PDB file of all heavy atoms in Angstrom:
ATOM      1  N   PHE A   1      -7.116  14.109  19.292  1.00 96.00           N
ATOM      2  CA  PHE A   1      -7.281  14.338  17.945  1.00 96.00           C
ATOM      3  C   PHE A   1      -5.964  14.113  17.213  1.00 96.00           C
ATOM      4  O   PHE A   1      -6.005  13.842  15.981  1.00 96.00           O
ATOM      5  CB  PHE A   1      -7.863  15.757  17.702  1.00 96.00           C
ATOM      6  CG  PHE A   1      -8.115  16.116  16.273  1.00 96.00           C
ATOM      7  CD1 PHE A   1      -9.500  15.886  15.876  1.00 96.00           C
ATOM      8  CD2 PHE A   1      -7.266  16.619  15.491  1.00 96.00           C
ATOM      9  CE1 PHE A   1      -9.837  16.234  14.478  1.00 96.00           C
ATOM     10  CE2 PHE A   1      -7.557  17.000  14.180  1.00 96.00           C
ATOM     11  CZ  PHE A   1      -8.812  16.740  13.719  1.00 96.00           C
ATOM     12  N   VAL A   2      -4.822  14.314  17.921  1.00 95.00           N
ATOM     13  CA  VAL A   2      -3.549  14.369  17.255  1.00 95.00           C
ATOM     14  C   VAL A   2      -3.270  13.173  16.384  1.00 95.00           C
ATOM     15  O   VAL A   2      -2.759  13.368  15.239  1.00 95.00           O
ATOM     16  CB  VAL A   2      -2.446  14.499  18.381  1.00 95.00           C
ATOM     17  CG1 VAL A   2      -1.097  14.276  17.818  1.00 95.00           C
ATOM     18  CG2 VAL A   2      -2.522  15.904  18.987  1.00 95.00           C
ATOM     19  N   GLU A   3      -3.633  11.983  16.847  1.00 94.00           N
ATOM     20  CA  GLU A   3      -3.265  10.757  16.084  1.00 94.00           C
ATOM     21  C   GLU A   3      -4.212  10.451  14.996  1.00 94.00           C
ATOM     22  O   GLU A   3      -3.983   9.608  14.116  1.00 94.00           O
ATOM     23  CB  GLU A   3      -3.167   9.561  17.041  1.00 94.00           C
ATOM     24  CG  GLU A   3      -2.163   9.721  18.099  1.00 94.00           C
ATOM     25  CD  GLU A   3      -0.716   9.692  17.509  1.00 94.00           C
ATOM     26  OE1 GLU A   3      -0.492   9.267  16.365  1.00 94.00           O
ATOM     27  OE2 GLU A   3       0.175  10.290  18.206  1.00 94.00           O
ATOM     28  N   TYR A   4      -5.338  11.304  14.921  1.00 96.00           N
ATOM     29  CA  TYR A   4      -6.361  10.878  13.981  1.00 96.00           C
ATOM     30  C   TYR A   4      -5.973  11.104  12.504  1.00 96.00           C
ATOM     31  O   TYR A   4      -6.048  10.190  11.710  1.00 96.00           O
ATOM     32  CB  TYR A   4      -7.641  11.794  14.232  1.00 96.00           C
ATOM     33  CG  TYR A   4      -8.638  12.060  13.188  1.00 96.00           C
ATOM     34  CD1 TYR A   4      -9.221  10.952  12.498  1.00 96.00           C
ATOM     35  CD2 TYR A   4      -9.056  13.379  12.924  1.00 96.00           C
ATOM     36  CE1 TYR A   4     -10.178  11.234  11.545  1.00 96.00           C
ATOM     37  CE2 TYR A   4     -10.079  13.480  11.932  1.00 96.00           C
ATOM     38  CZ  TYR A   4     -10.589  12.526  11.261  1.00 96.00           C
ATOM     39  OH  TYR A   4     -11.600  12.631  10.251  1.00 96.00           O
ATOM     40  N   PRO A   5      -5.389  12.248  12.163  1.00 97.00           N
ATOM     41  CA  PRO A   5      -4.982  12.358  10.688  1.00 97.00           C
ATOM     42  C   PRO A   5      -3.941  11.309  10.310  1.00 97.00           C
ATOM     43  O   PRO A   5      -3.938  10.902   9.121  1.00 97.00           O
ATOM     44  CB  PRO A   5      -4.336  13.820  10.648  1.00 97.00           C
ATOM     45  CG  PRO A   5      -5.018  14.500  11.719  1.00 97.00           C
ATOM     46  CD  PRO A   5      -5.116  13.557  12.860  1.00 97.00           C
ATOM     47  N   SER A   6      -2.957  11.019  11.243  1.00 97.00           N
ATOM     48  CA  SER A   6      -2.027  10.119  10.892  1.00 97.00           C
ATOM     49  C   SER A   6      -2.586   8.682  10.710  1.00 97.00           C
ATOM     50  O   SER A   6      -2.058   7.809   9.882  1.00 97.00           O
ATOM     51  CB  SER A   6      -0.931  10.030  12.046  1.00 97.00           C
ATOM     52  OG  SER A   6      -1.473   9.792  13.245  1.00 97.00           O
ATOM     53  N   GLN A   7      -3.535   8.257  11.571  1.00 96.00           N
ATOM     54  CA  GLN A   7      -4.132   6.916  11.418  1.00 96.00           C
ATOM     55  C   GLN A   7      -4.845   6.906  10.150  1.00 96.00           C
ATOM     56  O   GLN A   7      -5.022   5.808   9.510  1.00 96.00           O
ATOM     57  CB  GLN A   7      -4.849   6.711  12.727  1.00 96.00           C
ATOM     58  CG  GLN A   7      -4.068   6.400  13.864  1.00 96.00           C
ATOM     59  CD  GLN A   7      -4.813   6.074  15.166  1.00 96.00           C
ATOM     60  OE1 GLN A   7      -4.122   6.147  16.229  1.00 96.00           O
ATOM     61  NE2 GLN A   7      -6.112   5.737  15.113  1.00 96.00           N
ATOM     62  N   VAL A   8      -5.638   7.933   9.786  1.00 97.00           N
ATOM     63  CA  VAL A   8      -6.342   7.887   8.496  1.00 97.00           C
ATOM     64  C   VAL A   8      -5.415   7.595   7.338  1.00 97.00           C
ATOM     65  O   VAL A   8      -5.674   6.792   6.411  1.00 97.00           O
ATOM     66  CB  VAL A   8      -7.084   9.239   8.242  1.00 97.00           C
ATOM     67  CG1 VAL A   8      -7.607   9.337   6.832  1.00 97.00           C
ATOM     68  CG2 VAL A   8      -8.190   9.473   9.353  1.00 97.00           C
ATOM     69  N   ASN A   9      -4.247   8.256   7.441  1.00 98.00           N
ATOM     70  CA  ASN A   9      -3.290   8.097   6.237  1.00 98.00           C
ATOM     71  C   ASN A   9      -2.797   6.696   6.064  1.00 98.00           C
ATOM     72  O   ASN A   9      -2.340   6.422   4.905  1.00 98.00           O
ATOM     73  CB  ASN A   9      -2.107   9.116   6.422  1.00 98.00           C
ATOM     74  CG  ASN A   9      -1.427   9.418   5.147  1.00 98.00           C
ATOM     75  OD1 ASN A   9      -2.024   9.815   4.161  1.00 98.00           O
ATOM     76  ND2 ASN A   9      -0.118   9.044   5.008  1.00 98.00           N
ATOM     77  N   GLU A  10      -2.827   5.855   6.979  1.00 97.00           N
ATOM     78  CA  GLU A  10      -2.409   4.508   6.839  1.00 97.00           C
ATOM     79  C   GLU A  10      -3.161   3.755   5.841  1.00 97.00           C
ATOM     80  O   GLU A  10      -2.677   2.790   5.186  1.00 97.00           O
ATOM     81  CB  GLU A  10      -2.466   3.744   8.228  1.00 97.00           C
ATOM     82  CG  GLU A  10      -1.550   4.203   9.291  1.00 97.00           C
ATOM     83  CD  GLU A  10      -1.754   3.412  10.558  1.00 97.00           C
ATOM     84  OE1 GLU A  10      -2.115   2.324  10.512  1.00 97.00           O
ATOM     85  OE2 GLU A  10      -1.601   4.006  11.606  1.00 97.00           O
ATOM     86  N   HIS A  11      -4.407   4.208   5.539  1.00 97.00           N
ATOM     87  CA  HIS A  11      -5.379   3.434   4.711  1.00 97.00           C
ATOM     88  C   HIS A  11      -4.778   3.324   3.252  1.00 97.00           C
ATOM     89  O   HIS A  11      -5.158   2.407   2.478  1.00 97.00           O
ATOM     90  CB  HIS A  11      -6.710   3.989   4.735  1.00 97.00           C
ATOM     91  CG  HIS A  11      -7.411   3.741   6.006  1.00 97.00           C
ATOM     92  ND1 HIS A  11      -8.144   2.521   6.307  1.00 97.00           N
ATOM     93  CD2 HIS A  11      -7.599   4.540   7.095  1.00 97.00           C
ATOM     94  CE1 HIS A  11      -8.641   2.621   7.555  1.00 97.00           C
ATOM     95  NE2 HIS A  11      -8.327   3.858   8.033  1.00 97.00           N
ATOM     96  N   TRP A  12      -4.005   4.362   2.808  1.00 98.00           N
ATOM     97  CA  TRP A  12      -3.642   4.394   1.388  1.00 98.00           C
ATOM     98  C   TRP A  12      -2.560   3.595   1.053  1.00 98.00           C
ATOM     99  O   TRP A  12      -2.259   3.355  -0.094  1.00 98.00           O
ATOM    100  CB  TRP A  12      -3.393   5.843   1.059  1.00 98.00           C
ATOM    101  CG  TRP A  12      -4.700   6.519   0.668  1.00 98.00           C
ATOM    102  CD1 TRP A  12      -5.352   6.590  -0.518  1.00 98.00           C
ATOM    103  CD2 TRP A  12      -5.577   7.201   1.690  1.00 98.00           C
ATOM    104  NE1 TRP A  12      -6.597   7.249  -0.381  1.00 98.00           N
ATOM    105  CE2 TRP A  12      -6.738   7.670   0.961  1.00 98.00           C
ATOM    106  CE3 TRP A  12      -5.495   7.470   2.974  1.00 98.00           C
ATOM    107  CZ2 TRP A  12      -7.791   8.346   1.590  1.00 98.00           C
ATOM    108  CZ3 TRP A  12      -6.532   8.120   3.594  1.00 98.00           C
ATOM    109  CH2 TRP A  12      -7.759   8.574   3.008  1.00 98.00           C
ATOM    110  N   LEU A  13      -1.792   2.996   1.950  1.00 98.00           N
ATOM    111  CA  LEU A  13      -0.697   2.131   1.751  1.00 98.00           C
ATOM    112  C   LEU A  13      -1.048   0.954   0.847  1.00 98.00           C
ATOM    113  O   LEU A  13      -0.401   0.695  -0.186  1.00 98.00           O
ATOM    114  CB  LEU A  13      -0.033   1.595   3.061  1.00 98.00           C
ATOM    115  CG  LEU A  13       1.056   0.472   2.874  1.00 98.00           C
ATOM    116  CD1 LEU A  13       2.188   0.982   2.095  1.00 98.00           C
ATOM    117  CD2 LEU A  13       1.431  -0.089   4.191  1.00 98.00           C
ATOM    118  N   LEU A  14      -2.176   0.249   1.154  1.00 96.00           N
ATOM    119  CA  LEU A  14      -2.568  -0.953   0.474  1.00 96.00           C
ATOM    120  C   LEU A  14      -3.547  -0.619  -0.666  1.00 96.00           C
ATOM    121  O   LEU A  14      -4.202  -1.595  -1.127  1.00 96.00           O
ATOM    122  CB  LEU A  14      -3.129  -1.988   1.467  1.00 96.00           C
ATOM    123  CG  LEU A  14      -1.991  -2.457   2.415  1.00 96.00           C
ATOM    124  CD1 LEU A  14      -2.622  -3.503   3.461  1.00 96.00           C
ATOM    125  CD2 LEU A  14      -0.857  -3.149   1.711  1.00 96.00           C
ATOM    126  N   THR A  15      -3.676   0.560  -1.107  1.00 97.00           N
ATOM    127  CA  THR A  15      -4.509   0.767  -2.242  1.00 97.00           C
ATOM    128  C   THR A  15      -3.797   0.240  -3.505  1.00 97.00           C
ATOM    129  O   THR A  15      -2.548   0.287  -3.588  1.00 97.00           O
ATOM    130  CB  THR A  15      -4.897   2.255  -2.496  1.00 97.00           C
ATOM    131  OG1 THR A  15      -3.537   2.949  -2.547  1.00 97.00           O
ATOM    132  CG2 THR A  15      -5.688   2.873  -1.368  1.00 97.00           C
ATOM    133  N   ARG A  16      -4.618  -0.318  -4.391  1.00 95.00           N
ATOM    134  CA  ARG A  16      -4.002  -0.909  -5.542  1.00 95.00           C
ATOM    135  C   ARG A  16      -3.109   0.045  -6.373  1.00 95.00           C
ATOM    136  O   ARG A  16      -2.030  -0.362  -6.862  1.00 95.00           O
ATOM    137  CB  ARG A  16      -5.105  -1.516  -6.457  1.00 95.00           C
ATOM    138  CG  ARG A  16      -4.706  -2.372  -7.628  1.00 95.00           C
ATOM    139  CD  ARG A  16      -4.163  -3.673  -7.213  1.00 95.00           C
ATOM    140  NE  ARG A  16      -2.689  -3.825  -7.204  1.00 95.00           N
ATOM    141  CZ  ARG A  16      -2.104  -5.008  -7.009  1.00 95.00           C
ATOM    142  NH1 ARG A  16      -2.724  -6.053  -6.674  1.00 95.00           N
ATOM    143  NH2 ARG A  16      -0.854  -5.020  -6.982  1.00 95.00           N
ATOM    144  N   ASP A  17      -3.483   1.226  -6.418  1.00 96.00           N
ATOM    145  CA  ASP A  17      -2.655   2.211  -7.172  1.00 96.00           C
ATOM    146  C   ASP A  17      -1.317   2.456  -6.615  1.00 96.00           C
ATOM    147  O   ASP A  17      -0.303   2.406  -7.406  1.00 96.00           O
ATOM    148  CB  ASP A  17      -3.458   3.549  -7.257  1.00 96.00           C
ATOM    149  CG  ASP A  17      -3.108   4.318  -8.437  1.00 96.00           C
ATOM    150  OD1 ASP A  17      -2.754   3.829  -9.463  1.00 96.00           O
ATOM    151  OD2 ASP A  17      -3.098   5.561  -8.334  1.00 96.00           O
ATOM    152  N   VAL A  18      -1.260   2.599  -5.264  1.00 97.00           N
ATOM    153  CA  VAL A  18       0.099   2.817  -4.585  1.00 97.00           C
ATOM    154  C   VAL A  18       0.869   1.479  -4.837  1.00 97.00           C
ATOM    155  O   VAL A  18       2.099   1.622  -5.090  1.00 97.00           O
ATOM    156  CB  VAL A  18      -0.118   3.121  -3.096  1.00 97.00           C
ATOM    157  CG1 VAL A  18       1.257   3.014  -2.390  1.00 97.00           C
ATOM    158  CG2 VAL A  18      -0.617   4.605  -2.988  1.00 97.00           C
ATOM    159  N   LEU A  19       0.336   0.377  -4.577  1.00 96.00           N
ATOM    160  CA  LEU A  19       0.989  -0.882  -4.731  1.00 96.00           C
ATOM    161  C   LEU A  19       1.540  -1.083  -6.094  1.00 96.00           C
ATOM    162  O   LEU A  19       2.698  -1.389  -6.241  1.00 96.00           O
ATOM    163  CB  LEU A  19       0.137  -1.947  -4.352  1.00 96.00           C
ATOM    164  CG  LEU A  19      -0.307  -2.159  -2.876  1.00 96.00           C
ATOM    165  CD1 LEU A  19      -1.228  -3.267  -2.641  1.00 96.00           C
ATOM    166  CD2 LEU A  19       0.888  -2.256  -1.952  1.00 96.00           C
ATOM    167  N   ASP A  20       0.727  -0.837  -7.103  1.00 96.00           N
ATOM    168  CA  ASP A  20       1.163  -1.031  -8.489  1.00 96.00           C
ATOM    169  C   ASP A  20       2.396  -0.236  -8.890  1.00 96.00           C
ATOM    170  O   ASP A  20       3.202  -0.574  -9.588  1.00 96.00           O
ATOM    171  CB  ASP A  20      -0.004  -0.840  -9.424  1.00 96.00           C
ATOM    172  CG  ASP A  20      -1.004  -1.969  -9.360  1.00 96.00           C
ATOM    173  OD1 ASP A  20      -0.665  -3.042  -8.912  1.00 96.00           O
ATOM    174  OD2 ASP A  20      -2.114  -1.809  -9.957  1.00 96.00           O
ATOM    175  N   LYS A  21       2.321   1.034  -8.356  1.00 96.00           N
ATOM    176  CA  LYS A  21       3.444   1.991  -8.824  1.00 96.00           C
ATOM    177  C   LYS A  21       4.635   1.888  -7.923  1.00 96.00           C
ATOM    178  O   LYS A  21       5.716   2.106  -8.437  1.00 96.00           O
ATOM    179  CB  LYS A  21       2.821   3.517  -8.669  1.00 96.00           C
ATOM    180  CG  LYS A  21       1.837   3.835  -9.793  1.00 96.00           C
ATOM    181  CD  LYS A  21       1.301   5.282  -9.631  1.00 96.00           C
ATOM    182  CE  LYS A  21       0.543   5.721 -10.851  1.00 96.00           C
ATOM    183  NZ  LYS A  21      -0.718   5.011 -10.947  1.00 96.00           N
ATOM    184  N   TYR A  22       4.428   1.525  -6.659  1.00 96.00           N
ATOM    185  CA  TYR A  22       5.589   1.674  -5.660  1.00 96.00           C
ATOM    186  C   TYR A  22       5.985   0.437  -4.916  1.00 96.00           C
ATOM    187  O   TYR A  22       7.135   0.234  -4.598  1.00 96.00           O
ATOM    188  CB  TYR A  22       5.431   2.864  -4.779  1.00 96.00           C
ATOM    189  CG  TYR A  22       5.194   4.132  -5.457  1.00 96.00           C
ATOM    190  CD1 TYR A  22       3.915   4.737  -5.703  1.00 96.00           C
ATOM    191  CD2 TYR A  22       6.347   4.772  -6.047  1.00 96.00           C
ATOM    192  CE1 TYR A  22       3.843   5.868  -6.536  1.00 96.00           C
ATOM    193  CE2 TYR A  22       6.238   5.876  -6.747  1.00 96.00           C
ATOM    194  CZ  TYR A  22       4.970   6.527  -6.986  1.00 96.00           C
ATOM    195  OH  TYR A  22       4.866   7.595  -7.708  1.00 96.00           O
ATOM    196  N   ALA A  23       5.003  -0.447  -4.613  1.00 94.00           N
ATOM    197  CA  ALA A  23       5.336  -1.675  -3.847  1.00 94.00           C
ATOM    198  C   ALA A  23       5.705  -2.855  -4.871  1.00 94.00           C
ATOM    199  O   ALA A  23       4.988  -3.763  -4.997  1.00 94.00           O
ATOM    200  CB  ALA A  23       4.159  -2.074  -3.036  1.00 94.00           C
ATOM    201  N   ARG A  24       6.792  -2.566  -5.491  1.00 95.00           N
ATOM    202  CA  ARG A  24       7.207  -3.522  -6.577  1.00 95.00           C
ATOM    203  C   ARG A  24       8.435  -4.370  -6.063  1.00 95.00           C
ATOM    204  O   ARG A  24       9.258  -3.794  -5.272  1.00 95.00           O
ATOM    205  CB  ARG A  24       7.643  -2.783  -7.902  1.00 95.00           C
ATOM    206  CG  ARG A  24       6.472  -1.827  -8.370  1.00 95.00           C
ATOM    207  CD  ARG A  24       6.800  -1.219  -9.752  1.00 95.00           C
ATOM    208  NE  ARG A  24       6.675  -2.158 -10.839  1.00 95.00           N
ATOM    209  CZ  ARG A  24       5.583  -2.438 -11.447  1.00 95.00           C
ATOM    210  NH1 ARG A  24       4.475  -1.744 -11.229  1.00 95.00           N
ATOM    211  NH2 ARG A  24       5.577  -3.283 -12.503  1.00 95.00           N
ATOM    212  N   HIS A  25       8.589  -5.495  -6.472  1.00 96.00           N
ATOM    213  CA  HIS A  25       9.622  -6.454  -5.918  1.00 96.00           C
ATOM    214  C   HIS A  25      11.010  -5.811  -6.306  1.00 96.00           C
ATOM    215  O   HIS A  25      11.262  -5.438  -7.362  1.00 96.00           O
ATOM    216  CB  HIS A  25       9.543  -7.797  -6.679  1.00 96.00           C
ATOM    217  CG  HIS A  25      10.279  -8.898  -6.053  1.00 96.00           C
ATOM    218  ND1 HIS A  25      11.641  -8.989  -6.017  1.00 96.00           N
ATOM    219  CD2 HIS A  25       9.784  -9.968  -5.221  1.00 96.00           C
ATOM    220  CE1 HIS A  25      12.004 -10.084  -5.293  1.00 96.00           C
ATOM    221  NE2 HIS A  25      10.938 -10.627  -4.885  1.00 96.00           N
ATOM    222  N   TYR A  26      11.771  -5.844  -5.251  1.00 95.00           N
ATOM    223  CA  TYR A  26      13.037  -5.030  -5.325  1.00 95.00           C
ATOM    224  C   TYR A  26      14.073  -5.745  -6.373  1.00 95.00           C
ATOM    225  O   TYR A  26      14.938  -5.082  -6.844  1.00 95.00           O
ATOM    226  CB  TYR A  26      13.665  -4.907  -3.938  1.00 95.00           C
ATOM    227  CG  TYR A  26      14.440  -6.114  -3.504  1.00 95.00           C
ATOM    228  CD1 TYR A  26      15.866  -6.186  -3.525  1.00 95.00           C
ATOM    229  CD2 TYR A  26      13.800  -7.140  -2.898  1.00 95.00           C
ATOM    230  CE1 TYR A  26      16.494  -7.315  -3.153  1.00 95.00           C
ATOM    231  CE2 TYR A  26      14.480  -8.261  -2.453  1.00 95.00           C
ATOM    232  CZ  TYR A  26      15.879  -8.368  -2.511  1.00 95.00           C
ATOM    233  OH  TYR A  26      16.487  -9.487  -2.074  1.00 95.00           O
ATOM    234  N   GLN A  27      13.769  -6.961  -6.685  1.00 94.00           N
ATOM    235  CA  GLN A  27      14.656  -7.700  -7.585  1.00 94.00           C
ATOM    236  C   GLN A  27      14.122  -7.767  -9.058  1.00 94.00           C
ATOM    237  O   GLN A  27      14.743  -7.504 -10.081  1.00 94.00           O
ATOM    238  CB  GLN A  27      14.952  -9.110  -7.090  1.00 94.00           C
ATOM    239  CG  GLN A  27      15.862  -9.151  -5.828  1.00 94.00           C
ATOM    240  CD  GLN A  27      16.007 -10.564  -5.286  1.00 94.00           C
ATOM    241  OE1 GLN A  27      14.980 -11.327  -5.212  1.00 94.00           O
ATOM    242  NE2 GLN A  27      17.274 -10.877  -4.959  1.00 94.00           N
ATOM    243  N   THR A  28      12.886  -8.140  -9.071  1.00 95.00           N
ATOM    244  CA  THR A  28      12.208  -8.351 -10.419  1.00 95.00           C
ATOM    245  C   THR A  28      11.536  -7.114 -10.976  1.00 95.00           C
ATOM    246  O   THR A  28      11.259  -7.040 -12.198  1.00 95.00           O
ATOM    247  CB  THR A  28      11.227  -9.532 -10.297  1.00 95.00           C
ATOM    248  OG1 THR A  28      10.070  -9.077  -9.468  1.00 95.00           O
ATOM    249  CG2 THR A  28      11.835 -10.744  -9.717  1.00 95.00           C
ATOM    250  N   GLY A  29      11.156  -6.188 -10.015  1.00 95.00           N
ATOM    251  CA  GLY A  29      10.364  -4.964 -10.445  1.00 95.00           C
ATOM    252  C   GLY A  29       8.947  -5.276 -10.634  1.00 95.00           C
ATOM    253  O   GLY A  29       8.075  -4.360 -11.083  1.00 95.00           O
ATOM    254  N   ALA A  30       8.437  -6.516 -10.382  1.00 96.00           N
ATOM    255  CA  ALA A  30       7.088  -6.875 -10.591  1.00 96.00           C
ATOM    256  C   ALA A  30       6.180  -6.313  -9.518  1.00 96.00           C
ATOM    257  O   ALA A  30       6.601  -6.223  -8.313  1.00 96.00           O
ATOM    258  CB  ALA A  30       6.969  -8.446 -10.579  1.00 96.00           C
ATOM    259  N   ALA A  31       4.958  -5.952  -9.932  1.00 94.00           N
ATOM    260  CA  ALA A  31       4.065  -5.410  -8.943  1.00 94.00           C
ATOM    261  C   ALA A  31       3.622  -6.584  -8.018  1.00 94.00           C
ATOM    262  O   ALA A  31       3.580  -7.733  -8.418  1.00 94.00           O
ATOM    263  CB  ALA A  31       2.896  -4.753  -9.714  1.00 94.00           C
ATOM    264  N   MET A  32       3.136  -6.174  -6.875  1.00 95.00           N
ATOM    265  CA  MET A  32       2.586  -7.219  -5.968  1.00 95.00           C
ATOM    266  C   MET A  32       1.429  -7.897  -6.547  1.00 95.00           C
ATOM    267  O   MET A  32       0.448  -7.368  -7.013  1.00 95.00           O
ATOM    268  CB  MET A  32       2.114  -6.610  -4.634  1.00 95.00           C
ATOM    269  CG  MET A  32       1.654  -7.650  -3.648  1.00 95.00           C
ATOM    270  SD  MET A  32       1.042  -6.857  -2.030  1.00 95.00           S
ATOM    271  CE  MET A  32       2.660  -6.455  -1.369  1.00 95.00           C
ATOM    272  N   PRO A  33       1.353  -9.283  -6.754  1.00 94.00           N
ATOM    273  CA  PRO A  33       0.337 -10.063  -7.294  1.00 94.00           C
ATOM    274  C   PRO A  33      -1.034  -9.719  -6.517  1.00 94.00           C
ATOM    275  O   PRO A  33      -1.010  -9.679  -5.332  1.00 94.00           O
ATOM    276  CB  PRO A  33       0.765 -11.467  -7.225  1.00 94.00           C
ATOM    277  CG  PRO A  33       2.244 -11.374  -6.999  1.00 94.00           C
ATOM    278  CD  PRO A  33       2.481 -10.188  -6.241  1.00 94.00           C
ATOM    279  N   GLN A  34      -2.119  -9.684  -7.283  1.00 93.00           N
ATOM    280  CA  GLN A  34      -3.352  -9.522  -6.649  1.00 93.00           C
ATOM    281  C   GLN A  34      -3.612 -10.662  -5.623  1.00 93.00           C
ATOM    282  O   GLN A  34      -4.230 -10.416  -4.615  1.00 93.00           O
ATOM    283  CB  GLN A  34      -4.451  -9.550  -7.707  1.00 93.00           C
ATOM    284  CG  GLN A  34      -5.890  -9.154  -7.069  1.00 93.00           C
ATOM    285  CD  GLN A  34      -6.021  -7.855  -6.401  1.00 93.00           C
ATOM    286  OE1 GLN A  34      -5.454  -6.948  -6.935  1.00 93.00           O
ATOM    287  NE2 GLN A  34      -6.623  -7.876  -5.310  1.00 93.00           N
ATOM    288  N   ALA A  35      -3.169 -11.857  -5.935  1.00 93.00           N
ATOM    289  CA  ALA A  35      -3.395 -12.997  -5.099  1.00 93.00           C
ATOM    290  C   ALA A  35      -2.701 -12.739  -3.652  1.00 93.00           C
ATOM    291  O   ALA A  35      -3.308 -13.100  -2.629  1.00 93.00           O
ATOM    292  CB  ALA A  35      -2.892 -14.248  -5.657  1.00 93.00           C
ATOM    293  N   LEU A  36      -1.591 -12.109  -3.714  1.00 94.00           N
ATOM    294  CA  LEU A  36      -0.880 -11.772  -2.440  1.00 94.00           C
ATOM    295  C   LEU A  36      -1.633 -10.659  -1.676  1.00 94.00           C
ATOM    296  O   LEU A  36      -1.848 -10.766  -0.465  1.00 94.00           O
ATOM    297  CB  LEU A  36       0.548 -11.434  -2.676  1.00 94.00           C
ATOM    298  CG  LEU A  36       1.523 -11.214  -1.536  1.00 94.00           C
ATOM    299  CD1 LEU A  36       1.440 -12.418  -0.627  1.00 94.00           C
ATOM    300  CD2 LEU A  36       2.902 -10.876  -1.863  1.00 94.00           C
ATOM    301  N   LEU A  37      -2.079  -9.683  -2.397  1.00 94.00           N
ATOM    302  CA  LEU A  37      -2.856  -8.632  -1.791  1.00 94.00           C
ATOM    303  C   LEU A  37      -4.136  -9.202  -1.184  1.00 94.00           C
ATOM    304  O   LEU A  37      -4.581  -8.750  -0.102  1.00 94.00           O
ATOM    305  CB  LEU A  37      -3.144  -7.539  -2.803  1.00 94.00           C
ATOM    306  CG  LEU A  37      -4.010  -6.330  -2.267  1.00 94.00           C
ATOM    307  CD1 LEU A  37      -3.309  -5.664  -1.099  1.00 94.00           C
ATOM    308  CD2 LEU A  37      -4.222  -5.335  -3.289  1.00 94.00           C
ATOM    309  N   ASP A  38      -4.788 -10.126  -1.872  1.00 93.00           N
ATOM    310  CA  ASP A  38      -5.977 -10.708  -1.412  1.00 93.00           C
ATOM    311  C   ASP A  38      -5.727 -11.426  -0.050  1.00 93.00           C
ATOM    312  O   ASP A  38      -6.581 -11.327   0.792  1.00 93.00           O
ATOM    313  CB  ASP A  38      -6.571 -11.660  -2.400  1.00 93.00           C
ATOM    314  CG  ASP A  38      -7.148 -11.015  -3.611  1.00 93.00           C
ATOM    315  OD1 ASP A  38      -7.364  -9.773  -3.511  1.00 93.00           O
ATOM    316  OD2 ASP A  38      -7.278 -11.756  -4.707  1.00 93.00           O
ATOM    317  N   LYS A  39      -4.580 -12.046   0.010  1.00 93.00           N
ATOM    318  CA  LYS A  39      -4.256 -12.776   1.279  1.00 93.00           C
ATOM    319  C   LYS A  39      -4.077 -11.738   2.471  1.00 93.00           C
ATOM    320  O   LYS A  39      -4.457 -11.946   3.523  1.00 93.00           O
ATOM    321  CB  LYS A  39      -2.962 -13.512   1.141  1.00 93.00           C
ATOM    322  CG  LYS A  39      -3.091 -14.759   0.217  1.00 93.00           C
ATOM    323  CD  LYS A  39      -1.758 -15.482   0.095  1.00 93.00           C
ATOM    324  CE  LYS A  39      -1.796 -16.622  -0.891  1.00 93.00           C
ATOM    325  NZ  LYS A  39      -0.426 -17.248  -1.062  1.00 93.00           N
TER     326      LYS A  39
END
């Protein structure tokens, strides 16, 4: 059971909300394009 909560939490990394707010290009500040997320 130990690894279960940690593995569940991985799912939120690629939610659009987290990406838009925090996965922004370190040079331009632009959010990850939807086309790249789709890939």
Side-chain angles (χ1 to χ4, degrees):
F1 186 93
V2 166
E3 298 298 336
Y4 162 53
S6 54
Q7 290 179 192
V8 171
N9 200 56
E10 293 179 34
H11 290 276
W12 277 271
L13 170 63
L14 293 178
T15 56
R16 188 71 258 185
D17 204 30
V18 168
L19 293 175
D20 286 346
K21 288 180 170 66
Y22 299 101
R24 306 184 76 89
H25 197 286
Y26 80 100
Q27 291 174 316
T28 68
M32 181 182 288
Q34 184 62 42
L36 185 55
L37 177 59
D38 288 344
K39 292 177 183 179

